[in-house]
Amino acid sequence: MIIFIVDCQNGNGHLARSIALASKLKSLSDITLFGNNINKKYIYKINFIKFINTNKNIENKALDYLSENKSLVKTVVIDGYKFSNELKNKIVLLNIRLCIFDDFAIDCKLTNFMIRPYLFVHKYPIFKTNSNFFQKKQHPLIREDLKFIQNKNRKLSNQILVILGEGLKLNKFENIIKYISKLTKYKIKIFFSSYTAYSKIMFSKCIKKSKVNVLINANNFIFTSEIRRSKLIICSSSTAALETYYYKKMIFPICTVSNQEKIFEAFQINLNYKGINLDKKNDLLKCMINFKDYFRKTSFKTRAKPTFTYQKINDKDFYRKLFSFH
């Protein structure tokens, strides 16, 4: 059995990548995921995971379950920044292997292995599967419901899609939208994964703007469709950026909070994507100066490129080895 302990309170990024990893492992083991306030709409029709949803102390609930089933549990995956070292210590004392999603590249002596999403960003158009490759780069974790929707021969609409979550202060978010609106006649669609006070405020501020539409919906099909049909994606340097890159889209990455810096740097260094680190710089106009170049490059595009062929990769042996299944 593999247990996931996931922070689901701050957006759906942690949940999305945990589901993607779980989809690689579903043929190897039963999978249970502990989450706090999981968005039920977001996990609709995902039947290969047993979800245990709680609004109480997730660490206590997960530890109680692990203590009762320690002979069955082989690995625990932790994805979230707020989980304590005490939780990790107790898992190790139960003689259970520990895997941690790591966005900060912090060494963790308690961890058997780490999954570092910023290593997913590299130049290879089709990802190889030999062992040397995996030592240097990690295989991108893409949710199955995104993988099988291809965008070949699809017409692009004159639309800019904005996926920034809730990491930015509202006034910064508003200023970005105002800047883009002045620069282009394209339609601007803002995507939020769920209804929150933040998304509702943005909706109320944009409802009277003819070019701007705010979409508040956790439906993955809509998320995928909007990515496929948009000419340019402005997104936070998070799981959303990795999933968008899967569609070979022109991405304008924005670092909104500190945990996104590694992915943001990977897009800059490995792919030469110019973007904005608004977590460190406050001069929005100065930071947005590169956006014009991105816009010019997309204006002539009429059709989408086909996506990377991730589904052809036979990576079961890699994950079997990683999770010690023999």
Side-chain angles (χ1 to χ4, degrees):
M1 184 186 298
I2 299 172
I3 305 295
F4 284 77
I5 305 173
V6 183
D7 179 7
C8 305
Q9 288 185 311
N10 300 304
N12 291 314
H14 297 293
L15 182 59
R17 62 194 191 183
S18 291
I19 290 171
L21 176 58
S23 69
K24 305 285 186 185
L25 307 172
K26 63 182 180 181
S27 64
L28 308 178
S29 175
D30 292 334
I31 297 169
T32 299
L33 188 149
F34 286 84
N36 38 3
N37 300 308
I38 298 173
N39 185 333
K40 292 183 179 179
K41 190 174 184 180
Y42 195 82
I43 62 173
Y44 179 63
K45 287 189 175 181
I46 298 176
N47 53 18
F48 57 88
I49 300 173
K50 177 184 176 182
F51 290 97
I52 298 180
N53 199 1
T54 179
N55 55 8
K56 297 180 180 179
N57 189 310
I58 185 175
E59 292 193 11
N60 292 341
K61 194 170 184 70
L63 282 170
D64 288 343
Y65 186 90
L66 290 172
S67 298
E68 293 171 6
N69 298 277
K70 62 181 180 181
S71 61
L72 302 174
V73 179
K74 293 190 174 182
T75 307
V76 173
V77 180
I78 293 179
D79 193 356
Y81 313 120
K82 297 180 180 179
F83 297 120
S84 68
N85 283 329
E86 183 181 3
L87 170 66
K88 299 164 190 174
N89 272 311
K90 288 182 177 179
I91 291 170
V92 172
L93 289 173
L94 288 171
N95 200 28
I96 298 173
R97 284 169 55 83
L98 179 60
C99 169
I100 292 179
F101 273 95
D102 171 37
D103 291 305
F104 292 100
I106 298 172
D107 183 37
C108 182
K109 295 179 180 178
L110 296 174
T111 308
N112 293 96
F113 56 96
M114 292 183 177
I115 295 177
R116 292 174 164 165
Y118 54 90
L119 295 178
F120 300 168
V121 183
H122 39 82
K123 294 180 180 178
Y124 299 97
I126 297 177
F127 294 86
K128 301 177 183 178
T129 55
N130 61 69
S131 59
N132 290 332
F133 174 85
F134 282 119
Q135 289 172 9
K136 296 177 182 178
K137 308 288 185 182
Q138 289 192 5
H139 185 280
L141 290 169
I142 304 297
R143 285 173 287 163
E144 288 188 339
D145 53 342
L146 302 184
K147 284 199 312 184
F148 297 109
I149 301 176
Q150 296 293 317
N151 60 5
K152 189 176 181 180
N153 298 324
R154 300 277 185 173
K155 287 185 177 181
L156 295 172
S157 63
N158 288 334
Q159 173 177 295
I160 296 173
L161 183 63
V162 180
I163 314 169
L164 290 178
E166 301 183 7
L168 287 175
K169 291 182 179 179
L170 276 166
N171 64 327
K172 281 189 177 181
F173 204 138
E174 284 184 83
N175 287 335
I176 289 173
I177 301 304
K178 287 178 183 177
Y179 183 89
I180 300 168
S181 298
K182 290 178 181 178
L183 180 67
T184 174
K185 294 181 179 179
Y186 282 13
K187 292 181 179 178
I188 300 167
K189 186 161 286 187
I190 305 170
F191 186 92
F192 289 104
S193 62
S194 57
Y195 289 93
T196 63
Y198 187 103
S199 60
K200 289 176 183 177
I201 291 172
M202 280 300 297
F203 179 83
S204 66
K205 288 180 178 293
C206 296
I207 193 169
K208 294 181 180 179
K209 297 179 181 179
S210 58
K211 289 196 303 184
V212 182
N213 182 21
V214 178
L215 181 64
I216 305 176
N217 199 320
N219 185 303
N220 288 335
F221 178 78
I222 295 175
F223 174 78
T224 302
S225 298
E226 294 300 333
I227 288 175
R228 287 165 53 213
R229 65 197 297 265
S230 300
K231 284 192 174 181
L232 174 65
I233 316 293
I234 300 172
C235 62
S236 57
S237 304
S238 60
T239 303
L242 298 173
E243 292 182 344
T244 303
Y245 182 53
Y246 164 78
Y247 286 97
K248 298 179 78 171
K249 286 291 183 177
M250 183 67 71
I251 302 172
F252 189 74
I254 297 180
C255 180
T256 62
V257 288
S258 60
N259 61 282
Q260 296 175 2
E261 286 184 0
K262 287 292 181 181
I263 292 178
F264 178 76
E265 289 171 2
F267 272 106
Q268 286 194 310
I269 296 169
N270 298 340
L271 303 174
N272 296 316
Y273 280 31
K274 296 177 182 177
I276 312 170
N277 188 342
L278 288 179
D279 184 52
K280 288 186 175 179
K281 296 181 180 180
N282 293 318
D283 190 343
L284 180 62
L285 186 59
K286 185 177 180 181
C287 289
M288 287 291 285
I289 199 166
N290 293 322
F291 179 77
K292 289 184 180 179
D293 294 332
Y294 277 69
F295 176 68
R296 290 193 192 101
K297 289 177 183 178
T298 61
S299 59
F300 66 90
K301 293 178 181 290
T302 58
R303 289 190 177 274
K305 294 180 180 179
T307 61
F308 295 144
T309 54
Y310 290 94
Q311 61 267 38
K312 294 181 180 180
I313 296 174
N314 182 15
D315 53 9
K316 185 186 293 184
D317 290 342
F318 169 69
Y319 284 100
R320 187 184 297 272
K321 182 179 179 181
L322 188 65
F323 280 76
S324 289
F325 285 88
H326 301 288

